[in-house]
Amino acid sequence: MAACTWRWIPCKITELRLDKTLVCGQSFRWKERTPGIWTGVLAGYVWNLRQSDTQLFYQVVLPPHHADNITADKYAGITVKTEPFQITDNTKTVTHAKLVEKHSKKRSKIRTFPIKKERNDTEMIDKSLDQGATQVLDSDSVVKVSTQTDCHYQNEKLEKDITDTKDTPELEAILQDYFRLDVNLTDLYSTWSHSDPVFKRTATDFTGIRILRQDPVENLFSFICSSNNHISRISGMVERLCQAYGTKVTEYEGEPYFSFPSVKSLSGCDVEDTLRGLGFGYRAKYIGLTAKYIQENHSDRWLMGLRNLPYNETKSELMKLCGVGAKVADCVCLMSLDKLEAVPVDTHVWQIAARDYMPKLKQAKSLTDKLYAEIGDHFRELWGDKAGWAHTVLFTADLKKFKDKTDTKEKVLKAGPKKAKTKGQKRTKSLDNDGGKKAKKIS
């Protein structure tokens, strides 16, 4: 299935950084298939996203016979016709069996499904456009991508696509809602920086970190998978969950894409065994029991309805679910249920709090329920009713993938100009932990 034309909406890169927001542990379904271009499933569509200094570009891969009556009521009400499996009456059973057989052979070493090899930079070409004309990238166009870390696209001038705009308002509404683009992030950063010098220092290199407004079902079950886990492994588990129990949306560049499973599809009797075979471990039981509980005790709209309850009440309801503790409940409250005051506290946040805010925590041997509450309350008092958003900026900055880059930059700046070798020393070929060559004294 070919992608539609590229379109764009105004969005400064200081207001949204795709390269950090999509990989900081909120959602696990976005992949950087091509440098600077992110692909994922959202609201029943496969999307390609990229950005410039002032624009957020999007490209949608429409599923076959996509719905004509899409509504953009906070994207939760969107209904899209998808492409179901139609192999045999027993298709799901066959699919599950194949997935289990494939991954059980290699045991826990296999965490993700194979991904189609991407085009390299030599296969990318420039798209020249005349100034002043209506400018559109069609489905066959290839955009030259800058490999700079700030995701900017160089020497590219685009205007809004004025063709094939039937679904444009609805699609834009989905993105506006998903990234919460109605919130002025520059103003929030200014407020947090004014009240917190630690945040001010951190925010300099981490602008544009936004809280995603996700579908509560996807958010909940994804974070049940997050227990004692890391981002890359969670992403693989979520992908396998979608392939096993989701519905095929469409195929793009030779790879199938699936919707996130419904609660009903995860409440079957064979779910736990199937997921254990796919490497979910003890989380398989949590997923099955939680889905059954919701299916038997609540309506399909129950999770979405929690958006209308106060934070503490919402958190208490979530913690009744199997595999949902305080941290997972706070993650779901923050990232899909509009409780921006929720502050998820894990080991990283505990360490940040002890290092920069609450020195007494250094004496604590474990993160008790009392300390968990104290940390959350401290940040809510410091940052206000969107404390969970500010917390996410610091959490992102503390991730190893970003922290290492920042530390390296700081070391280079502190090191200054190269010093000349002192007499009696020479350089060896061995490298120390900082990446510099060790000086070896001549005896």
Side-chain angles (χ1 to χ4, degrees):
M1 177 64 62
C4 295
T5 54
W6 283 97
R7 303 188 182 104
W8 61 266
I9 56 178
C11 182
K12 294 181 180 179
I13 199 165
T14 52
E15 287 288 311
L16 169 63
R17 284 292 297 257
L18 293 176
D19 61 332
K20 290 182 172 66
T21 299
L22 296 180
V23 298
C24 68
Q26 296 188 67
S27 175
F28 306 98
R29 303 202 65 199
W30 293 96
K31 299 175 184 176
E32 193 177 14
R33 293 176 56 92
T34 302
I37 299 180
W38 299 86
T39 304
V41 178
L42 171 63
Y45 295 107
V46 175
W47 300 71
N48 289 321
L49 302 177
R50 61 182 180 84
Q51 63 184 147
S52 67
D53 280 335
T54 57
Q55 296 156 314
L56 172 62
F57 297 90
Y58 67 93
Q59 186 183 48
V60 177
V61 183
L62 296 177
H65 314 298
H66 74 285
D68 293 327
N69 59 338
I70 301 173
T71 60
D73 180 17
K74 291 299 182 183
Y75 104 77
I78 292 173
T79 55
V80 181
K81 294 180 181 178
T82 55
E83 182 181 59
F85 285 109
Q86 293 182 348
I87 303 173
T88 67
D89 292 336
N90 244 354
T91 301
K92 281 199 172 183
T93 302
V94 173
T95 303
H96 298 170
K98 287 181 178 179
L99 287 171
V100 171
E101 180 182 4
K102 177 178 179 181
H103 291 277
S104 60
K105 286 179 181 178
K106 299 185 180 181
R107 300 286 180 180
S108 59
K109 291 182 181 179
I110 296 297
R111 297 301 179 192
T112 57
F113 285 97
I115 300 175
K116 184 179 174 228
K117 185 178 180 182
E118 304 299 339
R119 289 172 292 186
N120 57 38
D121 290 341
T122 60
E123 294 172 316
M124 309 299 279
I125 60 172
D126 286 313
K127 178 73 176 177
S128 299
L129 300 168
D130 294 329
Q131 284 187 334
T134 301
Q135 299 164 347
V136 180
L137 291 177
D138 59 33
S139 59
D140 297 323
S141 298
V142 182
V143 182
K144 183 175 181 181
V145 181
S146 167
T147 56
Q148 294 181 3
T149 56
D150 60 5
C151 306
H152 297 180
Y153 284 73
Q154 304 298 321
N155 303 321
E156 192 173 21
K157 296 180 180 179
L158 299 176
E159 293 181 5
K160 274 206 171 184
D161 177 13
I162 61 171
T163 65
D164 188 26
T165 57
K166 182 178 180 180
D167 296 329
T168 298
E170 291 79 9
L171 294 173
E172 289 188 3
I174 292 172
L175 288 182
Q176 291 277 354
D177 181 73
Y178 185 66
F179 289 111
R180 299 180 184 271
L181 295 181
D182 59 315
V183 177
N184 187 311
L185 192 53
T186 302
D187 289 348
L188 281 182
Y189 270 51
S190 177
T191 300
W192 295 327
S193 296
H194 181 73
S195 61
D196 179 11
V198 175
F199 182 91
K200 185 176 182 179
R201 290 196 305 269
T202 303
T204 302
D205 294 321
F206 287 88
T207 58
I209 309 298
R210 304 195 76 89
I211 293 295
L212 302 176
R213 193 170 192 247
Q214 303 178 62
D215 174 73
V217 173
E218 178 175 337
N219 193 210
L220 170 64
F221 286 97
S222 294
F223 273 88
I224 290 178
C225 294
S226 72
S227 176
N228 295 316
N229 222 337
H230 54 78
I231 293 175
S232 61
R233 186 163 178 252
I234 299 166
S235 299
M237 292 170 71
V238 170
E239 186 66 22
R240 295 196 291 278
L241 188 68
C242 294
Q243 291 196 16
Y245 290 101
T247 303
K248 185 178 179 182
V249 176
T250 192
E251 188 167 314
Y252 175 57
E253 294 190 350
E255 184 176 345
Y257 286 83
F258 298 83
S259 63
F260 196 87
S262 65
V263 173
K264 182 178 180 179
S265 67
L266 294 175
S267 62
C269 297
D270 64 338
V271 170
E272 181 179 345
D273 290 340
T274 298
L275 295 183
R276 283 188 182 277
L278 292 174
F280 282 66
Y282 63 86
R283 304 168 195 84
K285 180 179 180 180
Y286 294 165
I287 291 171
L289 289 178
T290 291
K292 286 179 183 178
Y293 176 87
I294 296 175
Q295 187 70 14
E296 293 171 0
N297 295 280
H298 300 287
S299 69
D300 294 341
R301 300 285 296 175
W302 174 69
L303 279 171
M304 190 68 71
L306 293 179
R307 288 180 172 178
N308 301 318
L309 297 181
Y311 163 55
N312 288 331
E313 190 175 342
T314 299
K315 184 175 179 179
S316 296
E317 285 295 309
L318 290 173
M319 290 180 67
K320 294 177 182 178
L321 303 174
C322 187
V324 179
K327 191 206 82 170
V328 170
D330 273 330
C331 287
V332 179
C333 282
L334 175 65
M335 301 169 194
S336 63
L337 296 179
D338 297 346
K339 310 298 183 281
L340 298 179
E341 68 268 41
V343 179
V345 180
D346 63 359
T347 302
H348 296 290
V349 177
W350 179 18
Q351 291 171 349
I352 292 170
R355 183 189 68 215
D356 298 328
Y357 297 94
M358 305 169 70
K360 71 173 185 176
L361 295 177
K362 295 178 181 179
Q363 309 302 320
K365 295 181 180 180
S366 62
L367 182 62
T368 62
D369 292 343
K370 182 180 178 181
L371 287 180
Y372 186 103
E374 285 184 12
I375 294 170
D377 289 342
H378 178 86
F379 285 138
R380 278 184 281 273
E381 184 177 350
L382 177 63
W383 294 324
D385 60 359
K386 292 183 177 61
W389 198 321
H391 138 281
T392 301
V393 176
L394 297 189
F395 176 86
T396 302
D398 199 62
L399 289 175
K400 191 175 187 300
K401 67 174 72 179
F402 299 128
K403 200 170 186 295
D404 288 350
K405 293 178 182 178
T406 303
D407 289 346
T408 301
K409 181 180 177 182
E410 289 177 353
K411 286 172 185 174
V412 171
L413 291 174
K414 288 179 181 178
K418 247 185 190 178
K419 293 183 179 179
K421 291 183 291 183
T422 57
K423 189 176 181 181
Q425 289 187 330
K426 70 177 182 179
R427 295 291 183 182
T428 69
K429 293 183 180 179
S430 60
L431 299 177
D432 61 21
N433 292 332
D434 293 334
K437 295 181 178 179
K438 292 181 178 177
K440 184 177 179 181
K441 195 170 184 178
I442 298 176
S443 57

